[in-house]
Amino acid sequence: ELFNLLTRIVPFLRSKSWDTRIAAAKAIGHVVENAAPFDPNGDDPDVKAEGDADEQLAPSIDALLSLETLDIPAILTYGKKLLGSGGKECDYALAALEPSERLLHQKETLHARLGLRGEYVEQEPVMLDPVKDQARGLGDQPTLPRVNTAVGSMYGQNQMQSPSPMTAASRQGSFSQTPGDEAGLSKRQLNQLKRKNKLNAKNQASKVRVVDLSIRRPSMDSPGGLSSADPFAVKQEIKSEPDQNGNGDYLSLDRGDVDEDAKIVSDFKGSILPEKSLIQTEAEEEGLEWPFERLCEFLMIDLFDHSWEVRHGAAMALREVVRVHGAGAGRLRGKSKGHNDRLNDRWLNDLACRLCCVFMLDRFGDYISDNVVAPIRETVGQTLGALLTHLLPGTVTMVYRVLYRMVMQKDLGLPNRIWEVCHGGMTGLRYLVAVRNDLLVNNDGLMDGVVQAVMKGLGDIDDDVRAVSASTLTPIAKEFVTLRPSALEGLMDIVWDCLSDLRDDLSASTGSVMDLLAKLCSFPQVLTAMKSNAAKDSQHSFTNLVPRLYPFLRHTITSVRSAVLRALLTFVDIEGADTKGWINGRILRLVFQNVLVERNEQTLSLSLEVWNALSNHLGAADEVFWSEFSHHWQDTLEMALHPIGTSRNPIPMDASLLMKPSGQMYASTNVQQSRPSPSNTGEPPAKRRRRSDKKEEPAPSLAHNVDGHMIQGDVDLVGMDTMIRSRISAAKAFGKAISLCPGQAAAQICGQLMQRLRSPFSTTQMIVALIVNEYAQSSAVAIPAADKLCSELQSVIDGERPSSYNDLVPFLRIVRSQCQSLLNSFRDQAHVSQSKIPALAVVVQGEAEAGPSAFSLANADSVVEADFERLRKMLTPAQRVTSLQVLNDARANAVTSIDDAKWIKNERDVRIRAAASSALVAIGNIPKKPSALIKGLMDSIKLEENIELQKRSAVSIASLITHYASSGKRGPADKIIANLMKYYCVDTSETPDFSVNSSLRDSVLSLRKEEDRKDHADAIKYEMEAKAARIQRRGAKEALEQLNTIFGSDLLDKAPVIKTKIETPLRQAFDGELPDDLVDGDGNNELGQEIVDGLSILRALVPALDTSLYHFVDAMMPLIVKALRSALSVFRYAAAKCFATICSVMKTRAMILLVEDVLPLCSSIDPQPRQGAIELIYHLIHVMEDRILPYVIFLLVPVLGRMSDSDNDVRLIATTTFATLVKLVPLEAGIPDPPGFPDKLLEGRDRERKFIAQMLDVRKVEPFQVPVAIKAELRSYHQEGVNWLAFLNRFHRHGILCDDMGLGKTLQTLCIVASDHHMRAEEFAKTKNPDFRRLPSLI
């Protein structure tokens, strides 16, 4: 099986698909891991064999390479370079060869291709003539199946195929031309013939064929013993007569040497002969040599293939084989241990040489994301790493010397430096130091050489070499620092200089150098070295060095920005006063800008972490933070409060407020010079710039400006959620800053905030409230002027909101335009006099020129209501006929635009009130009449689309409930919690409406909810309502989870309304019989909805419930099980979803209850319990996903039984569930037993596991002895059918017996029916059990 599996996997290593090659290499790794290691001397005594010292290694027939004699200059000068494809997509000449011929040819030409025989000249492979070969004595070589080397063929490229008689003629006709045939041809004709032969080979390779998926040797007495030149065997369509050797045609029943089991359609049902794989030699079959010898020969040849995909697949496969079985490579049975050790060392030495040669010759590069990578060199490096674990220390040293010479390139005599060779050598060194760290510690020369190579690489002009050099030193940084402290000063100089040279935003080494720098600076010795450098040269102090990182804060590559932030965190944590000179107002402002313009969520979080670390360091001393921040707080506040525009109407930031990494300010881009400043009105003009303006020279833009869209406020490209997230983070940062300021400075900033709380921009008001909220949470002392600040916030909550905001002016303009269009329709279509049509103000509210009479939403309402009705009544009947449709359409458009404007304004009002309410809660100033405050928070939970703003409101409402609970004011807290639970149950897709579903009895509601997705009369309205319900449920769930977290084990004591909401209806309904009014289907019964809501709320709370409250859930579970048996579908649905969630959290308790009490319901006589049980299993596998693996066997058999249920819904959902469960069965075997399960249940699972194994594999079905006499002889396949029918009968399952006519189906059926009658009669005679009484015949 080993070679059968490997043979099927190996062709996929040559696939064009990266994922396919990776999967094939992983598959080979798993296969070889399960193969026994080859150790022919495993039983030998561990002593030196007699005569072992005199035993010499036989001369290598394969001319193995040696690290000692490897000619590096010759390889670099004359070796054939390994490119992407080498100009050859398919090598048809090689494809025409037999595998043995191809392998021999590639071995013979390997030294030439490596350049070890001088300049390499491409040669066509020589075809072996069978007649001449016989005369030369080569005809006795076995003919092996062919390996197609053409990339892109069927089954993932290059299937290995057995030769066939059909292809012998093709080879001779297409590729083999005798000298006599070519004697009379001209050069032109010879070239035409050569092109034709290649075209034929290409056409043959591209045909679709019936492919034999296995590999075996062909019969030697077959006339097809001569190998075909075709890459694949083509199925012969013409029926042929038997030849003189007795071979029949295609329809012959003589099996011959064909592997029917491997065919897609099998023609033969006889016994299967053992397979013989191409990669298994005779010696391997007899156990005389390492079993992976031939496979590795092919793979090592493929390392130098012209196609990079083939090289990549070969390197990965070699890595997997050598990693597991490298210790057995090259060994032979019958040789002494010492001899085999030398054979193993020589084999591994040869492979190391080949890998180093790939490093020297590979020139292929590819792109992953925005970094250049060398996949071949990287994978070969991994293979070398696997190989190094098996090498002797002396051989490792020789590998190091080769790699060192490749990096340094001093004694190679090269006219020019080759960066790919240097990169390959450094890649090899990276894996060498990672794998053989033990040798580095004990070998001074090795450590010195590695350090020298790394320093050379870090100073290299090529960026990729610098990247791999930094990665080489990072894992051994501790050893380097400990063993080579004298080299630290020079290394740190090189690292910092390397950062100074990174001018290109696509520099691959930036992230690696940053990581190396952060790693090194975590060691005190490095800091000492840096201090020593600083003492010698002030340019090397932390104050001067760390700012070199600042330009990378806004690097175009996200990983680089993250690496810089991590490095800054490391520097902040370094102890020593002389290491903190760089922490000042400049870095504070740069990091704040980072927070404000960063779009990546993880990097934004890291930026905020750096800000807090810097602030805490400066805030540790009195007023130090303020002394640094005082010069920047006004600009940073202005940037944080900058309003956010709307779609297609951005509000750009003032670029002059942004600081460069050097500390200088950017010049204004003058984009807004024709517009009012955002701090005043900020309204973009309606007209676009004239075309002639575009000819003006633009202001200098930010170099590599990754933040351009954020700075321009482009909501369409950045996204409103991203813009809001950045402002929330900026509010957190600024709130933290205020908390570190002295009292007078904090009061000054708060005064500025109170002024901006009355800004005409809605987002500015919201951000001010967010800053106050964060300030209150961060401050450890009382807020200065808290009363005045709270008064301003309270006025925002209680007072009337303005009729418009400046950042919503574009919506109001659209409204005015639509209203004007409506009035124009009266004039143009209905011919109403202009004097009777009202005039609209040209300026809308919010614009710079707006006054009291500017156009507002109130004017718009008047136009579409009062003015429209007045003008319509003035129309004559004739005017109405001709113009009423146009007028109604224009009015509808105007109403739509008004609704949109009102909706966006209401959204901003909700956000501002919610932010102000949250700020008051954070300060702790709860008004005596909190209705407005509570409404502001609850509206946000109910309506807010932005998840982050909704979560903040949920946290605030949970804090408010905590405040009331701790102060003993149970009334407001209970009312808020009751409303939250009501909001949670509003989404009917999760919590069904009882009144709508109360009439359903004998159906599975989960199926109806899937099937009832139909088009609604008003699809847009329905979708808006559904979306609003989802938002409301999401906000309530977040608030309940926050309560769960805050109260913990006291949840049910401090919020008793939750317990009442869950427990009371469940006990009222299921402690006894279901109330009659529910059974009778009273759709308006409130108790029914309370039951459904209670189950839904319990499902929401369980995942985050404190473990000390599990006893409450335990008490509810029997009631939920009873609900699964309810006569109402809606109760079964809610109970199934609730119990599935409980099982995913309280696995042991709930799953035991499920196995003991719920699964037996699958065999109930009544349909409702069966529906409830199977619906629960359906939801269980969706909730638990892969966590259900330990319980799969418990569920599979009951589900299988319901697949033939008399109820259609049960059958359908059971079939769907079974299809999911059965896929998990192969994964279940390796899973440990579920903890806490009784032995009795585990024994039952073992019985069911046996049943499943027999069901999935008929060969495991136990033989059945027919207990009655039959006057017929059962053939083998008859007996198999009876066994299978007996198996189904024993487990009460159903099946269909199918076969061709006249082959004994009736006989098998009679056997099992007669046997069943006989066994039932015997059992009834013994036990008198009525279940085994004789049943009347239906025939």
Side-chain angles (χ1 to χ4, degrees):
E1 284 300 320
L2 171 65
F3 295 102
N4 181 34
L5 289 172
L6 291 176
T7 302
R8 294 170 185 266
I9 298 171
V10 165
F12 294 99
L13 293 171
R14 307 166 69 89
S15 171
K16 286 285 187 182
S17 167
W18 177 280
D19 293 333
T20 301
R21 296 195 302 275
I22 296 291
K26 288 182 178 179
I28 288 179
H30 290 306
V31 170
V32 300
E33 283 174 358
N34 290 279
F38 181 74
D39 187 5
N41 306 109
D43 299 330
D44 294 353
D46 193 15
V47 295
K48 185 175 179 181
E50 218 177 291
D52 186 44
D54 300 329
E55 191 175 6
Q56 298 296 324
L57 298 180
S60 174
I61 59 172
D62 296 332
L64 296 181
L65 301 173
S66 173
L67 290 166
E68 291 181 300
T69 60
L70 192 64
D71 192 347
I72 299 177
I75 295 173
L76 294 176
T77 305
Y78 303 114
K80 182 181 178 182
K81 305 302 181 288
L82 301 176
L83 306 174
S85 64
K88 293 184 179 182
E89 291 302 325
C90 298
D91 196 336
Y92 300 109
L94 280 179
L97 292 178
E98 287 296 327
S100 58
E101 298 171 354
R102 184 181 307 109
L103 186 61
L104 182 60
H105 169 76
Q106 291 176 324
K107 283 182 177 181
E108 291 176 346
T109 60
L110 176 62
H111 284 220
R113 284 183 286 134
L114 292 180
L116 298 177
R117 297 176 182 171
E119 187 173 355
Y120 174 68
V121 179
E122 187 84 29
Q123 295 180 355
E124 292 290 338
V126 179
M127 304 293 181
L128 299 181
D129 189 297
V131 178
K132 295 180 179 180
D133 290 348
Q134 187 72 29
R136 294 198 303 262
L138 300 178
D140 293 332
Q141 292 184 352
T143 306
L144 298 179
R146 174 171 30 267
V147 183
N148 175 25
T149 60
V151 179
S153 53
M154 191 177 178
Y155 290 99
Q157 285 77 29
N158 311 307
Q159 294 289 346
M160 301 179 181
Q161 293 302 319
S162 301
S164 65
M166 315 73 159
T167 57
S170 174
R171 173 186 170 180
Q172 293 176 358
S174 299
F175 289 97
S176 181
Q177 295 288 339
T178 64
D181 295 334
E182 301 175 0
L185 299 179
S186 66
K187 290 290 185 181
R188 180 172 176 272
Q189 290 172 321
L190 288 173
N191 288 335
Q192 285 181 332
L193 181 61
K194 184 177 180 181
R195 287 194 297 269
K196 181 180 178 181
N197 289 341
K198 288 188 176 182
L199 181 61
N200 289 338
K202 184 176 182 180
N203 291 336
Q204 292 294 335
S206 63
K207 288 184 179 180
V208 178
R209 300 166 173 85
V210 176
V211 179
D212 183 0
L213 298 179
S214 71
I215 307 300
R216 69 174 66 256
R217 294 181 187 275
S219 175
M220 296 308 298
D221 58 357
S222 168
L226 297 179
S227 298
S228 166
D230 290 335
F232 295 94
V234 185
K235 180 178 176 181
Q236 189 173 7
E237 300 294 343
I238 303 175
K239 179 179 177 180
S240 60
E241 298 298 328
D243 60 20
Q244 34 183 299
N245 290 327
N247 292 327
D249 60 15
Y250 177 77
L251 300 177
S252 172
L253 294 180
D254 183 12
R255 187 174 186 278
D257 205 22
V258 181
D259 181 8
E260 296 292 343
D261 189 48
K263 280 192 174 182
I264 295 175
V265 178
S266 179
D267 312 304
F268 187 79
K269 295 185 179 180
S271 61
I272 299 175
L273 296 179
E275 294 188 349
K276 179 69 178 197
S277 171
L278 167 66
I279 57 177
Q280 182 181 18
T281 63
E282 297 290 347
E284 289 167 345
E285 186 176 14
E286 297 173 5
L288 300 179
E289 70 177 14
W290 188 47
F292 303 101
E293 187 72 38
R294 178 59 62 88
L295 171 62
C296 288
E297 283 185 2
F298 281 109
L299 295 176
M300 285 192 287
I301 290 299
D302 281 348
L303 282 177
F304 301 95
D305 194 273
H306 56 77
S307 172
W308 78 268
E309 293 94 346
V310 176
R311 302 198 298 273
H312 181 239
M316 289 191 296
L318 276 172
R319 176 192 67 201
E320 298 300 324
V321 174
V322 172
R323 174 177 59 87
V324 181
H325 294 281
R331 299 181 184 271
L332 298 173
R333 193 171 298 280
K335 300 293 184 181
S336 65
K337 187 177 186 303
H339 187 83
N340 272 328
D341 288 343
R342 292 196 297 276
L343 286 175
N344 176 252
D345 183 64
R346 187 171 69 170
W347 193 96
L348 298 176
N349 191 314
D350 173 71
L351 178 57
C353 287
R354 294 169 188 257
L355 297 178
C356 290
C357 289
V358 176
F359 282 139
M360 297 180 213
L361 298 177
D362 183 69
R363 300 291 186 271
F364 176 70
D366 201 356
Y367 284 89
I368 297 295
S369 182
D370 40 17
N371 289 328
V372 180
V373 296
I376 305 303
R377 296 195 283 277
E378 187 66 28
T379 309
V380 169
Q382 296 170 7
T383 307
L384 180 63
L387 174 66
L388 287 167
T389 60
H390 303 289
L391 292 180
L392 299 173
T395 311
V396 174
T397 303
M398 287 191 287
V399 173
Y400 150 73
R401 289 171 184 163
V402 173
L403 298 174
Y404 177 82
R405 294 178 66 192
M406 292 168 57
V407 174
M408 306 306 289
Q409 298 185 20
K410 291 181 178 178
D411 58 341
L412 302 181
L414 299 175
N416 297 306
R417 166 190 163 279
I418 306 175
W419 78 265
E420 293 95 342
V421 177
C422 183
H423 182 267
M426 190 57 70
T427 301
L429 282 178
R430 176 157 66 99
Y431 285 96
L432 187 147
V433 300
V435 173
R436 299 308 299 264
N437 187 276
D438 56 324
L439 298 181
L440 282 178
V441 176
N442 299 318
N443 190 327
D444 292 341
L446 196 60
M447 173 61 86
D448 290 337
V450 169
V451 171
Q452 188 178 0
V454 167
M455 290 187 173
K456 168 75 164 54
L458 287 173
D460 197 279
I461 191 174
D462 185 80
D463 190 60
D464 295 292
V465 176
R466 291 200 297 267
V468 72
S469 301
S471 301
T472 301
L473 192 57
T474 302
I476 61 167
K478 182 177 180 180
E479 291 80 2
F480 170 76
V481 170
T482 305
L483 300 176
R484 295 295 181 272
S486 59
L488 289 176
E489 295 183 14
L491 176 65
M492 296 310 296
D493 287 344
I494 292 176
V495 171
W496 285 108
D497 291 341
C498 184
L499 286 175
S500 302
D501 294 336
L502 298 177
R503 303 297 183 188
D504 187 1
D505 271 5
L506 294 180
S507 296
S509 63
T510 306
S512 300
V513 174
M514 295 291 179
D515 290 336
L516 174 62
L517 184 62
K519 179 77 172 179
L520 290 172
C521 290
S522 63
F523 298 104
Q525 300 93 322
V526 175
L527 303 181
T528 303
M530 292 182 65
K531 294 175 183 177
S532 175
N533 286 344
K536 298 175 185 177
D537 185 356
S538 60
Q539 294 299 317
H540 291 89
S541 64
F542 279 91
T543 305
N544 291 323
L545 290 179
V546 177
R548 296 186 186 182
L549 302 177
Y550 296 170
F552 300 101
L553 282 170
R554 301 314 307 153
H555 198 273
T556 55
I557 302 176
T558 304
S559 60
V560 173
R561 300 199 297 272
S562 299
V564 175
L565 293 169
R566 287 193 297 270
L568 290 177
L569 279 176
T570 302
F571 292 138
V572 173
D573 294 336
I574 295 174
E575 298 295 334
D578 52 348
T579 63
K580 301 295 194 299
W582 57 277
I583 303 180
N584 50 31
R586 173 184 166 195
I587 185 59
L588 282 175
R589 183 159 182 168
L590 290 175
V591 173
F592 187 88
Q593 291 175 187
N594 226 51
V595 171
L596 195 62
V597 299
E598 179 57 59
R599 297 165 64 175
N600 181 269
E601 189 170 358
Q602 288 74 26
T603 309
L604 177 60
S605 177
L606 196 57
S607 300
L608 203 55
E609 187 177 351
V610 173
W611 170 268
N612 291 331
L614 294 171
S615 302
N616 289 333
H617 172 75
L618 292 175
D622 293 339
E623 299 191 3
V624 174
F625 178 84
W626 175 245
S627 65
E628 296 291 344
F629 189 62
S630 59
H631 306 291
H632 305 283
W633 74 268
Q634 290 181 321
D635 288 347
T636 53
L637 179 61
E638 189 68 31
M639 288 188 288
L641 298 182
H642 186 80
I644 302 174
T646 59
S647 177
R648 298 186 298 278
N649 294 279
I651 303 178
M653 290 183 183
D654 185 357
S656 63
L657 297 177
L658 298 174
M659 177 181 284
K660 296 180 181 179
S662 61
Q664 299 177 351
M665 306 303 294
Y666 284 104
S668 176
T669 56
N670 296 325
V671 175
Q672 295 294 321
Q673 290 207 355
S674 61
R675 308 177 182 179
S677 171
S679 59
N680 299 323
T681 63
E683 178 50 39
K687 297 181 180 180
R688 297 181 179 179
R689 298 178 63 180
R690 293 179 299 172
R691 188 179 302 273
S692 59
D693 291 344
K694 296 183 179 180
K695 298 179 181 179
E696 297 178 4
E697 188 68 24
S701 61
L702 304 181
H704 304 294
N705 190 1
V706 69
D707 307 313
H709 299 307
M710 287 288 288
I711 294 173
Q712 292 299 317
D714 197 330
V715 177
D716 295 303
L717 289 176
V718 175
M720 179 60 76
D721 289 343
T722 303
M723 299 288 284
I724 291 176
R725 186 189 305 122
S726 71
R727 294 299 198 277
I728 292 174
S729 300
K732 291 179 180 179
F734 202 87
K736 173 75 173 178
I738 302 176
S739 67
L740 297 174
C741 295
Q744 186 176 359
Q748 179 184 359
I749 297 176
C750 287
Q752 186 70 21
L753 289 175
M754 284 187 282
Q755 293 181 12
R756 303 303 293 273
L757 199 56
R758 295 185 289 272
S759 168
F761 293 92
S762 62
T763 47
T764 300
Q765 294 184 33
M766 179 189 71
I767 298 167
V768 169
L770 293 177
I771 291 175
V772 174
N773 186 357
E774 295 296 333
Y775 171 35
Q777 292 180 6
S778 302
S779 179
V781 297
I783 297 177
D787 293 339
K788 296 180 66 175
L789 188 58
C790 291
S791 176
E792 288 289 340
L793 293 170
Q794 192 65 46
S795 66
V796 171
I797 299 172
D798 296 334
E800 289 291 330
R801 302 308 300 150
S803 59
S804 66
Y805 297 107
N806 286 14
D807 42 354
L808 302 183
V809 164
F811 288 90
L812 199 53
R813 286 177 177 163
I814 294 174
V815 171
R816 185 197 175 283
S817 176
Q818 293 295 336
C819 290
Q820 187 64 58
S821 177
L822 173 60
L823 297 178
N824 291 343
S825 297
F826 276 102
R827 182 193 64 195
D828 300 334
Q829 301 296 328
H831 304 291
V832 176
S833 173
Q834 181 68 46
S835 60
K836 298 178 181 179
I837 297 176
L840 300 180
V842 177
V843 179
V844 302
Q845 287 186 352
E847 291 185 317
E849 303 84 1
S853 60
F855 183 82
S856 64
L857 286 176
N859 300 133
D861 287 333
S862 176
V863 170
V864 298
E865 298 294 340
D867 292 340
F868 180 84
E869 290 299 325
R870 178 176 60 82
L871 294 174
R872 186 174 65 85
K873 290 178 181 179
M874 294 172 57
L875 300 179
T876 64
Q879 289 175 324
R880 292 184 181 181
V881 170
T882 58
S883 62
L884 196 57
Q885 182 62 44
V886 175
L887 295 176
N888 286 334
D889 290 345
R891 182 179 182 274
N893 293 336
V895 169
T896 300
S897 65
I898 293 172
D899 290 342
D900 291 343
K902 288 181 178 179
W903 180 86
I904 189 69
K905 180 181 181 300
N906 181 67
E907 178 190 64
R908 300 300 174 91
D909 289 342
V910 168
R911 288 177 176 175
I912 293 170
R913 285 196 173 104
S917 301
S918 297
L920 284 176
V921 172
I923 295 172
N925 191 329
I926 309 299
K928 294 182 179 180
K929 295 183 178 180
S931 56
L933 183 146
I934 295 174
K935 184 178 185 302
L937 293 175
M938 296 298 281
D939 283 349
S940 177
I941 289 175
K942 185 166 57 173
L943 303 173
E944 181 55 64
E945 291 188 13
N946 183 269
I947 296 177
E948 295 195 36
L949 291 176
Q950 192 180 48
K951 284 184 177 180
R952 294 178 66 87
S953 298
V955 172
S956 297
I957 202 71
S959 300
L960 182 62
I961 294 172
T962 305
H963 167 78
Y964 283 127
S966 60
S967 60
K969 298 180 179 179
R970 187 65 60 79
D974 289 348
K975 184 177 180 180
I976 295 172
I977 295 173
N979 284 333
L980 289 175
M981 292 189 290
K982 181 180 178 181
Y983 292 170
Y984 180 80
C985 299
V986 74
D987 185 5
T988 56
S989 65
E990 293 291 336
T991 307
D993 191 337
F994 178 78
S995 61
V996 174
N997 298 286
S998 61
S999 60
L1000 300 177
R1001 297 289 194 277
D1002 298 329
S1003 60
V1004 176
L1005 191 58
S1006 297
L1007 293 177
R1008 290 181 60 87
K1009 292 175 71 65
E1010 294 293 329
E1011 295 170 355
D1012 289 350
R1013 292 179 179 175
K1014 54 188 178 182
D1015 295 335
H1016 295 264
D1018 190 343
I1020 297 178
K1021 181 180 179 181
Y1022 172 79
E1023 181 56 36
M1024 290 180 63
E1025 291 176 351
K1027 179 181 178 182
R1030 290 194 298 270
I1031 292 172
Q1032 196 167 338
R1033 178 180 180 273
R1034 184 187 68 196
K1037 182 180 180 182
E1038 183 66 31
L1040 291 173
E1041 288 177 351
Q1042 290 292 335
L1043 274 181
N1044 213 344
T1045 303
I1046 293 173
F1047 287 149
S1049 59
D1050 298 328
L1051 175 67
L1052 301 183
D1053 295 329
K1054 293 186 176 180
V1057 66
I1058 295 178
K1059 181 178 180 181
T1060 303
K1061 183 72 173 178
I1062 296 172
E1063 185 177 24
T1064 302
L1066 289 180
R1067 292 201 178 278
Q1068 186 175 348
F1070 301 114
D1071 256 346
E1073 295 297 327
L1074 200 63
D1076 293 336
D1077 51 356
L1078 291 179
V1079 177
D1080 295 338
D1082 184 3
N1084 296 321
N1085 193 293
E1086 293 183 3
L1087 177 59
Q1089 190 62 55
E1090 289 177 359
I1091 294 170
V1092 176
D1093 291 351
L1095 290 170
S1096 184
I1097 292 166
L1098 180 59
R1099 178 162 64 98
L1101 293 176
V1102 163
L1105 199 64
D1106 191 271
T1107 55
S1108 61
L1109 298 178
Y1110 282 178
H1111 65 88
F1112 172 72
V1113 183
D1114 286 334
M1116 295 294 102
M1117 281 196 288
L1119 302 176
I1120 300 173
V1121 172
K1122 196 168 182 180
L1124 290 171
R1125 305 198 302 267
S1126 171
L1128 300 182
S1129 299
V1130 64
F1131 290 162
R1132 298 196 299 272
Y1133 170 82
K1137 298 196 74 171
C1138 180
F1139 200 93
T1141 303
I1142 294 173
C1143 288
S1144 68
V1145 177
M1146 302 165 55
K1147 297 185 184 68
T1148 301
R1149 308 183 209 184
M1151 292 303 294
I1152 291 176
L1153 183 63
L1154 181 141
V1155 174
E1156 293 180 340
D1157 293 353
V1158 178
L1159 294 184
L1161 298 179
C1162 291
S1163 302
S1164 174
I1165 297 176
D1166 299 325
Q1168 288 87 0
R1170 301 199 306 271
Q1171 291 175 343
I1174 199 67
E1175 191 170 15
L1176 167 58
I1177 299 174
Y1178 170 78
H1179 288 292
L1180 185 65
I1181 62 177
H1182 287 85
V1183 171
M1184 294 190 67
E1185 296 179 337
D1186 58 341
R1187 293 175 293 165
I1188 204 173
L1189 277 175
Y1191 314 99
V1192 166
I1193 299 300
F1194 292 108
L1195 306 176
L1196 198 61
V1197 175
V1199 171
L1200 180 62
R1202 294 307 96 215
M1203 290 174 64
S1204 55
D1205 197 278
S1206 59
D1207 184 83
N1208 182 65
D1209 282 4
V1210 173
R1211 277 200 314 274
L1212 181 57
I1213 198 169
T1215 304
T1216 304
T1217 305
F1218 181 81
T1220 304
L1221 285 175
V1222 76
K1223 298 175 185 177
L1224 303 176
V1225 172
L1227 304 176
E1228 185 270 343
I1231 301 297
D1233 292 338
F1237 257 57
D1239 293 338
K1240 183 180 178 180
L1241 294 181
L1242 295 178
E1243 291 172 2
R1245 183 194 60 176
D1246 293 337
R1247 290 193 300 271
E1248 293 183 344
R1249 180 181 286 146
K1250 180 179 179 181
F1251 161 73
I1252 295 297
Q1254 293 177 351
M1255 181 191 70
L1256 297 178
D1257 187 354
V1258 295
R1259 293 175 296 182
K1260 296 180 180 180
V1261 173
E1262 298 173 355
F1264 178 73
Q1265 190 70 31
V1266 179
V1268 297
I1270 56 173
K1271 295 181 179 180
E1273 180 183 353
L1274 294 181
R1275 297 185 179 182
S1276 59
Y1277 65 90
H1278 289 153
Q1279 184 63 50
E1280 291 177 1
V1282 173
N1283 294 343
W1284 182 67
L1285 291 172
F1287 162 74
L1288 295 177
N1289 188 45
R1290 182 163 60 252
F1291 289 99
H1292 307 289
R1293 304 301 176 215
H1294 307 273
I1296 300 175
L1297 187 63
C1298 301
D1299 208 340
D1300 292 337
M1301 293 179 62
L1303 294 184
K1305 295 187 297 297
T1306 305
L1307 174 61
Q1308 298 170 57
T1309 305
L1310 291 175
C1311 286
I1312 196 63
V1313 171
S1315 300
D1316 186 62
H1317 274 268
H1318 177 79
M1319 290 185 296
R1320 289 175 63 88
E1322 285 187 339
E1323 189 67 25
F1324 183 74
K1326 291 179 183 178
T1327 64
K1328 302 300 180 181
N1329 188 336
D1331 290 338
F1332 295 101
R1333 69 186 184 278
R1334 186 186 180 103
L1335 299 177
S1337 174
L1338 298 179
I1339 300 176

